[in-house]
């Protein structure tokens, strides 16, 4: 079988936190980008964020001004899906809701080239299920980037049951061109990283709930005793407690094992609206600097 044509033109659907970062890194790597979102102001905001982040890289001398200008010039913003017609791949980064993802696949499919790959940046939804919905399951794949994309080195490639080898090869080569290291995961809830990381955070919340330690001792224990760069409760606040709860529910439901039950204390924090950094309070209170443990 002949090797697939290398990817040069990348469509990105959704210009939010992740779509923005993916476009930034791909454009810097010399790829041509078509960035699509629902409204022009969203695209303008995304381009402004990218310009600001690229300018910071110039200040730090990790790139020069010519590379910044060339990257920005490679990005074509659009609010219509026909802009994807010339793309070798479209990476979908719309909100984490299966109904929204299914709806956008139905809208963009008629515009895709016959060889084009469709990749989802989903952090939890089954690639096999989304691939079936896409109607091109052999050319459908998970490309799970991590936030913030310009800083994080990993891309988890998720193979659905029907994803073809040429599709996997093409997205592995694309991620490598973007300077990322890839790992290949089978399509089960949480894939590799979240399957391991999020239950660890949930267990730290159980340790707090059961009075085994305080917020400070649990975080310090994992930093100094396990060499984690950040304690698990600090990390939970950073990620957002609602997101941690959502992922635990996906694992619990998808894998059917009670070892993935969300900690009742986590459920209460989310019910209280104490979601971490983004609401000013989670396990820490962020109204003062440095943040203060709340228990
Ligand atoms: N944020 C993270 O830390 C993170 C990490 C890894 C993976 N992900 C996954 O990446 C995906 C996107 O997450 P995000 O954090 O960037 O979300 P976000 O809310 O920041 O951005 C989503 C974007 O999609 C746009 N959008 C909504 N409906 C659309 C449509 N029909 N057509 C085109 N654009 C549409 C929105 O306007 C918004 O700009 C999700 O599947 C999420 O689970 C997120």
């Amino acid at each position: 079988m002949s090797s697939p044509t290398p990817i040069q033109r990348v469509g990105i659907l959704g210009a939010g936190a992740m779509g923005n970062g993916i476009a930034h890194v791909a454009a810097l790597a010399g790829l041509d980008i078509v960035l699509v979102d629902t409204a022009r102001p969203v695209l303008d905001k995304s381009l402004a964020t990218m310009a600001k982040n690229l300018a910071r890289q110039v200040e730090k001398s990790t790139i020069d001004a010519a590379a910044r200008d060339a990257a920005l010039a490679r990005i074509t913003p659009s609010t219509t899906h026909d802009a994807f017609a010339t793309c070798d791949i479209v990476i979908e980064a719309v909100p984490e809701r299966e109904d929204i993802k299914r709806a956008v696949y139905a809208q963009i499919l008629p515009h895709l080239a016959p060889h084009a790959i469709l990749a989802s940046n989903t952090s939890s939804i089954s690639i096999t299920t989304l691939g079936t919905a896409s109607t091109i399951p052999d050319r459908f794949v998970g490309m799970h980037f991590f936030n913030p994309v310009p800083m994080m080195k990993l891309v988890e490639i998720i193979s659905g049951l029907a994803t073809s080898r040429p599709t996997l090869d093409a997205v592995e080569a694309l991620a490598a061109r973007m300077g990322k290291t890839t790992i290949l995961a089978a399509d089960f809830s949480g894939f590799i990283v979240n399957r391991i990381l999020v239950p660890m955070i949930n267990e730290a919340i159980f340790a707090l709930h059961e009075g085994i330690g305080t917020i400070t001792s649990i975080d310090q224990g994992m930093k100094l005793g396990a060499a984690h760069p950040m304690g698990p409760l600090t990390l939970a606040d950073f990620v957002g407690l609602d997101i941690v709860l959502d992922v635990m529910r996906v694992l619990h439901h998808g894998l059917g094992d009670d070892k993935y039950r969300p900690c009742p204390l986590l459920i209460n924090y989310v019910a209280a609206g104490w979601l971490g950094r983004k609401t000013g309070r989670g396990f820490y209170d962020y109204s003062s600097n440095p943040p203060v443990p709340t228990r």
Side-chain angles (χ1 to χ4, degrees):
M1 192 183 234
S2 62
S3 55
T5 318
I7 289 168
Q8 176 55 36
R9 211 167 156 78
V10 178
I12 299 171
L13 183 66
M18 297 306 288
N20 182 280
I22 296 166
H24 171 142
V25 175
L28 262 188
L31 295 149
D32 301 316
I33 312 298
V34 174
L35 182 62
V36 174
D37 208 301
T38 46
R40 191 68 220 191
V42 183
L43 289 164
D44 290 343
K45 186 169 167 228
S46 177
L47 290 170
T49 302
M50 241 179 284
K52 194 179 76 197
N53 292 341
L54 286 163
R56 199 173 302 137
Q57 283 179 280
V58 174
E59 274 164 33
K60 289 184 182 162
S61 301
T62 54
I63 60 169
D64 60 25
R68 174 201 59 199
D69 295 345
L72 287 170
R74 280 189 205 104
I75 301 170
T76 308
S78 175
T79 53
T80 60
H81 299 133
D82 52 3
F84 287 144
T86 53
C87 292
D88 303 307
I89 185 171
V90 172
I91 303 173
E92 166 272 303
V94 302
E96 187 73 347
R97 283 212 357 228
E98 195 177 322
D99 56 337
I100 296 180
K101 293 190 191 287
R102 281 176 179 267
V104 296
Y105 299 160
Q107 288 163 4
I108 65 174
L109 261 155
H111 302 285
L112 295 191
H115 73 285
I117 291 171
L118 181 54
S120 177
N121 188 48
T122 178
S123 27
S124 65
I125 303 173
S126 159
I127 294 301
T128 305
T129 304
L130 291 178
T132 308
S134 78
T135 73
I136 49 166
D138 56 325
R139 284 185 280 125
F140 191 90
V141 66
M143 262 190 116
H144 185 201
F145 290 83
F146 290 77
N147 191 17
V149 181
M151 308 282 294
M152 301 295 278
K153 294 291 291 177
L154 185 72
V155 178
E156 230 175 359
I157 307 282
I158 302 108
S159 178
L161 270 188
T163 308
S164 71
R165 188 69 244 178
T167 298
L168 294 172
D169 291 345
V171 294
E172 278 172 359
L174 172 65
R177 176 143 178 219
M178 291 170 68
K180 302 299 183 194
T181 299
T182 56
I183 53 173
L184 182 62
D187 184 26
F188 294 101
S189 303
F191 314 133
I192 293 174
V193 175
N194 284 338
R195 169 83 176 259
I196 298 168
L197 178 67
V198 182
M200 188 274 294
I201 293 173
N202 191 50
E203 202 59 33
I205 302 169
F206 266 115
L208 178 68
H209 180 52
E210 292 169 13
I212 299 171
T214 62
I215 289 172
T216 304
S217 64
I218 291 166
D219 271 356
Q220 202 172 35
M222 294 307 287
K223 275 168 71 180
L224 302 184
H228 287 196
M230 189 186 277
L233 300 173
T234 302
L235 181 58
D237 277 0
F238 183 75
V239 171
L241 302 190
D242 51 338
I243 306 285
V244 172
L245 180 57
D246 281 349
V247 176
M248 285 311 298
R249 286 192 165 135
V250 166
L251 293 175
H252 197 194
H253 180 255
L255 301 168
D257 190 328
D258 274 350
K259 76 178 180 182
Y260 298 110
R261 73 200 185 285
C263 178
L265 185 62
L266 171 63
I267 294 170
N268 273 357
Y269 267 62
V270 173
W274 295 348
L275 306 183
R277 270 179 185 275
K278 62 187 170 191
T279 57
R281 183 188 169 127
F283 293 110
Y284 293 84
D285 180 343
Y286 295 89
S287 60
S288 53
N289 192 11
V292 182
T294 53
R295 284 173 174 243

